[in-house]
Every structure is written in C-alpha cells, then in structure tokens.
Amino acid sequence: LLVPALYFIRDYIFSFLALALTAGFSVAVVIPQVKQRAHQSRLRKEGKLIPGLVLNDYRLIRKLGEGGAGSVFLCDKPEESRDVLYAVKFLLEGTGDEAAFQQECKTCRDLRHPGIVALLDWGQGLGFHYIVFDFVEGKTLDEVEEPSVKDVCAWSLEVVSALNYAHKKKVVHRDIKPA
C-alpha cells in the first residue's frame, strides 16, 4: 500500500507544487490588484482623488495644493526604476474644451526656460484631465521668513525673464499671482 502511494506522490508532486504556487501567487498578487482596481473604480465614480490612487502611470502620493482650476498632487511612477517625483495637476470639469486643452498642452510642452517648469505629459483618466510637470522642491512665498529686498528683486527678475520668454513664444499666462 505504501509503494503505490509513493509512486502517486512522485508522479504528481510537480502538479501539486504548481497548484500551490499558483494559489500563493493569487493570494499575494492578484487578489490585492483586483481589490485596488475595485477601490479605484469606486473613487472614479465618486470623482475623488486621494493618495495611493494610480492614474495611468502616476501614483498620487500627497496633495500639494488646490486652486480655481484644480488640484495638484505629488506623484511618482511605480514602474520606473529611478526615484523621480512629478507634480500632476488635475483640472476641474468645465475648465475648458478638449481642443483648447490639447492645444495649450502642446504649446507649453515646447517652452524651455530655467524659470518655467517643464510640462512632461498630459491626458485624461478617471474622468479628469491632467497635466504632468517636473516637481520642483522648494518653499512657497508664505514659508519664506522676511525675505530681503535683494531676494525679492532677484525673484522678480526671474519671473519677468520667464514671462518675457513665454511672450516671445506667443504664450500668455493669464493667471500670475504671488502664491
């Protein structure tokens, strides 16, 4: 009785191992992915953007700010081998038509100036139009304690230089404010 059982185990051991590995893979990888997709689908239906959400290639890390046209999130690309951060602006509905959005992105994509953050990508996902920029680490004007006149003049010259460059490229910003 023992010998036939050993032959049975020998003949089917690889099938049992394959079945066990498949089950383990499903529990460890597939089930969490299915739950994540269901959660994202629910958020999309509710129109919510929260950290951890993945939009196309970009994973939302934290909200950086909010304005009249939408919200900006710090994002990364989980599939990238290098640690690069992006600032992704999600536009509110009704902020313009599709053709104007596409044209504005194509125009801004070609702007290259030290005082202008590079536009890297744009698209639509989860019901939102989004624009991807390089993330520039630094302080906001509110976080700077008593800037000197020299600092304010230097920053003003940088802004004027960037605006001058953009205007030469036939681009008008339309939303300049001290923020």
Side-chain angles (χ1 to χ4, degrees), residues 142-155:
D142 290 336
E143 296 170 335
V144 177
E145 294 181 24
E146 298 186 37
S148 69
V149 173
K150 182 179 176 182
D151 289 337
V152 172
C153 289
W155 297 333

Side-chain angles (χ1 to χ4, degrees), residues 17-18 26 31 40 45 47 49 53 55 68 80 86 100 106 113 135 142 144 154 156 160 163 168 172 177-178:
L17 285 173
S26 293
I31 291 174
Q40 288 185 11
K45 289 176 186 172
L49 294 170
L53 189 66
L55 174 75
E80 275 191 358
Y86 305 94
K106 288 175 185 173
H113 184 276
F135 174 66
D142 290 336
V144 177
S156 298
V160 168
L163 288 172
K168 285 181 180 177
V172 178
K177 56 186 175 279

Side-chain angles (χ1 to χ4, degrees), residues 98-116:
E98 179 70 24
F101 170 75
Q102 293 292 333
Q103 183 56 45
E104 190 170 337
C105 289
K106 288 175 185 173
T107 301
C108 292
R109 170 192 60 198
D110 298 330
L111 296 178
R112 294 288 181 251
H113 184 276
I116 299 175

Side-chain angles (χ1 to χ4, degrees):
L1 188 63
L2 181 61
V3 172
L6 290 174
Y7 285 124
F8 178 80
I9 291 171
R10 181 199 69 194
D11 292 342
Y12 293 98
I13 189 73
F14 291 112
S15 297
F16 288 133
L17 285 173
L19 183 62
L21 286 172
T22 302
F25 178 78
S26 293
V27 169
V29 176
V30 175
I31 291 174
Q33 286 178 350
V34 169
K35 286 182 179 179
Q36 173 79 6
R37 287 189 188 119
H39 179 66
Q40 288 185 11
S41 177
R42 189 170 54 254
L43 291 171
R44 183 185 75 241
K45 289 176 186 172
E46 296 171 5
K48 294 182 180 175
L49 294 170
I50 62 166
L53 189 66
V54 177
L55 174 75
N56 296 347
D57 294 338
Y58 303 97
R59 178 178 52 199
L60 282 64
I61 297 173
R62 66 180 164 89
K63 186 184 272 192
L64 295 172
E66 200 164 26
S71 300
V72 179
F73 280 81
L74 179 66
C75 298
D76 67 357
K77 281 183 161 181
E79 303 301 320
E80 275 191 358
S81 60
R82 54 195 177 106
D83 294 332
V84 178
L85 296 174
Y86 305 94
V88 180
K89 183 174 188 175
F90 295 93
L91 304 176
L92 296 173
E93 288 185 38
T95 54
D97 64 30
E98 179 70 24
F101 170 75
Q102 293 292 333
Q103 183 56 45
E104 190 170 337
C105 289
K106 288 175 185 173
T107 301
C108 292
R109 170 192 60 198
D110 298 330
L111 296 178
R112 294 288 181 251
H113 184 276
I116 299 175
V117 179
L119 189 151
L120 305 172
D121 189 14
W122 67 88
Q124 186 174 5
L126 300 179
F128 294 92
H129 282 90
Y130 65 90
I131 306 171
V132 181
F133 298 95
D134 276 332
F135 174 66
V136 179
E137 189 120 20
K139 294 181 177 182
T140 66
L141 289 177
D142 290 336
E143 296 170 335
V144 177
E145 294 181 24
E146 298 186 37
S148 69
V149 173
K150 182 179 176 182
D151 289 337
V152 172
C153 289
W155 297 333
S156 298
L157 286 174
E158 289 177 24
V159 170
V160 168
S161 172
L163 288 172
N164 184 45
Y165 171 82
H167 290 174
K168 285 181 180 177
K169 298 287 187 175
K170 308 284 190 244
V171 175
V172 178
H173 191 287
R174 299 182 312 188
D175 193 24
I176 302 297
K177 56 186 175 279

